[in-house]
């Protein structure tokens, strides 16, 4: 076998947590388990963000990766608007557009590494533009990383072909941004997707026949998130895990809408009322969506109904900052997950065997919610996409929580979630579909 140092891998993430997170996991897999030399190139603040929010790996593992801080000019960092009729995070568009400024320093880095490597492998998020043509560099290959579900790639392609429908999922500015970025994908040597055949076999087969993917290999290597050990007893555990320790198995509803979603004040009030009325234990992460300048605004001051936290003390806990979601989902006390259904959250819930109360808000989330609820039967949709502009009443929140946490229907969901979790975890082991795809990919780079 060739020396791994002869192959250099450069990871180019999109600067938002949902994109940074899986590619950092991927980088650690390549560096620690396959012995490859891995470089991670993003802005200084987003490199820092990725490191501080690392889950499932010891912090010491970060030393196996070479981080490169790419310069970015000052950009606006407006707050999210929780009252906006469109829940898409339009406040981050200045950051997205500013990634064009990364093309030149990134190209210089890639050229430098290409000159000192036998083979240079560039893995770039599909939302990133490289400013570097691997096709004209004899020892370089580029691969597009797809951080959303295969089901969404299929659905988005259908909508683009029809010329309608995407405007309901994202802002016009972001749709135009994505259209520009699609061109880089056409020059890639293949596609890497954070999914596996156990979850999306049908859609992976369909993608292989589509124009964007035709003739290029698709490597389904997910879930990229580590699968945590239940009841991790690490001395540096987060306080919310200590709180979960005091509750019975499968008794707590975990509520979190991710790092790019903010619900309205009216919706917050209805959700609070519904959780309280359900009578079930809950751990609720109530925070604003990330801003471009993430570390200036890490926590939230969102208001709850007067006296709410005191009234639910011991039964419910509200957290206003970032939490270690993987460890929460893996905890024995967690029995259900009320989620926006970002793809990372979906894969984490599935790999931990936790049923999902799906509350999609934008982008790929409606597709993911349907996949979990209708395809895999491991969840229920809280609010149909056709009613996305409506406030979900407390009565519906109570109904869904009771449905998942009680009775025959909830028991069936939990059983299916546990079975799916076992299948997905098996996919990551020797002989599993995801592990085999990863082995084939790395062997191809080392040829």
């Amino acid at each position: 076998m060739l020396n791994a140092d002869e192959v250099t891998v450069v990871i180019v993430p999109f600067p938002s947590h949902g994109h940074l997170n899986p590619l950092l996991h991927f980088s650690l897999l390549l560096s620690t388990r396959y012995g490859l030399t891995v470089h991670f190139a993003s802005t200084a603040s987003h490199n820092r963000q990725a490191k501080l929010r690392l889950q499932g790996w010891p912090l010491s593992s970060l030393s196996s990766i070479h981080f490169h801080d790419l310069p970015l000019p000052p950009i606006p960092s407006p707050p999210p608007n929780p009252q906006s009729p469109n829940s898409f995070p339009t406040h981050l568009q200045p950051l997205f557009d500013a990634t064009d400024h990364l093309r030149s320093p990134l190209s210089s880095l890639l050229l430098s590494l290409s000159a000192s490597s036998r083979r240079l492998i560039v893995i770039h998020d599909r939302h990133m533009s490289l400013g570097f043509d691997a096709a004209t560099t004899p020892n370089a290959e580029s691969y597009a990383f797809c951080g959303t579900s295969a089901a969404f790639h299929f659905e988005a392609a259908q909508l683009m072909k029809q010329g309608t429908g995407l405007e309901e999922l994202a802002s016009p500015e972001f749709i135009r941004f994505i259209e520009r970025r699609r061109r880089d994908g056409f020059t890639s040597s293949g596609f890497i997707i954070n999914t596996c055949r156990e979850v999306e076999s049908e859609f992976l087969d369909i993608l292989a026949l589509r124009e964007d993917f035709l003739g290029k290999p698709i490597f389904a290597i997910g879930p990229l998130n580590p699968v945590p050990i239940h009841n991790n007893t690490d001395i540096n555990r987060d306080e919310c895990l200590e709180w979960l320790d005091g509750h019975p198995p499968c008794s707590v509803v975990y509520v979190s809408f991710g790092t790019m979603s903010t619900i309205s004040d009216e919706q917050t009030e209805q959700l609070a009322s519904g959780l309280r009325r359900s009578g079930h234990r809950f751990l609720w992460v109530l925070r604003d969506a990330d801003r471009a300048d993430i570390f200036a605004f890490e926590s939230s001051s969102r208001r709850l109904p007067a006296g709410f936290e005191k009234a639910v003390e011991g039964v419910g806990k509200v957290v206003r900052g970032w939490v270690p979601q993987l460890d929460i989902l893996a905890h024995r006390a967690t029995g259900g997950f009320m989620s926006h259904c970002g793809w990372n959250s979906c894969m984490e819930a599935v790999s931990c065997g936790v049923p999902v109360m799906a509350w999609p808000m934008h982008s790929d989330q409606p597709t993911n919610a349907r996949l979990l609820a209708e395809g895999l039967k491991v969840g229920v949709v809280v609010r149909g996409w056709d009613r996305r502009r409506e406030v979900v009443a407390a009565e519906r929140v109570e109904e869904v929580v009771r449905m998942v946490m009680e009775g025959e229907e909830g028991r069936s969901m939990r059983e299916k979630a546990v079975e799916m979790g076992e299948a997905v975890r098996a996919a990551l082991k020797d002989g599993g579909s995801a592990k085999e795809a990863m082995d084939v990919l790395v062997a191809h780079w080392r040829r």
Side-chain angles (χ1 to χ4, degrees), residues 131-197:
F132 173 83
D133 188 0
T136 63
T137 307
N139 68 334
E141 298 175 15
S142 70
Y143 293 79
F145 176 77
C146 308
T148 52
S149 63
F152 177 69
H153 281 290
F154 168 70
E155 184 168 300
Q158 294 290 92
L159 293 175
M160 284 188 282
K161 188 175 182 179
Q162 297 166 7
T164 183
L166 280 178
E167 66 276 3
E168 298 297 330
L169 301 173
S171 67
E173 296 80 7
F174 189 73
I175 293 171
R176 290 193 293 270
F177 173 85
I178 291 301
E179 283 291 335
R180 295 196 303 272
R181 290 294 186 261
R182 286 183 69 226
R183 291 191 288 270
D184 274 352
F186 293 127
T187 63
S188 296
S189 299
F191 298 88
I192 299 169
I193 303 186
N194 184 21
T195 191
C196 63
R197 288 204 158 269

Side-chain angles (χ1 to χ4, degrees), residues 375-430:
L376 302 178
K377 309 293 186 185
V378 297
V380 59
V381 175
V382 177
R383 175 186 62 185
W385 187 240
D386 58 333
R387 304 180 67 178
R388 59 191 171 278
R389 301 198 190 283
E390 299 178 14
V391 173
V392 179
E395 292 81 2
R396 175 58 179 168
V397 174
E398 177 186 3
E399 177 188 16
V400 169
V401 170
R402 290 184 178 277
M403 181 189 305
V404 173
M405 302 298 286
E406 303 171 6
E408 185 62 26
E409 192 170 0
R411 185 185 65 79
S412 177
M413 283 182 204
R414 286 193 298 277
E415 287 178 353
K416 284 185 168 61
V418 169
E419 290 173 4
M420 181 58 64
E422 291 172 350
V424 167
R425 292 192 296 273
L428 298 172
K429 298 177 181 178
D430 288 340

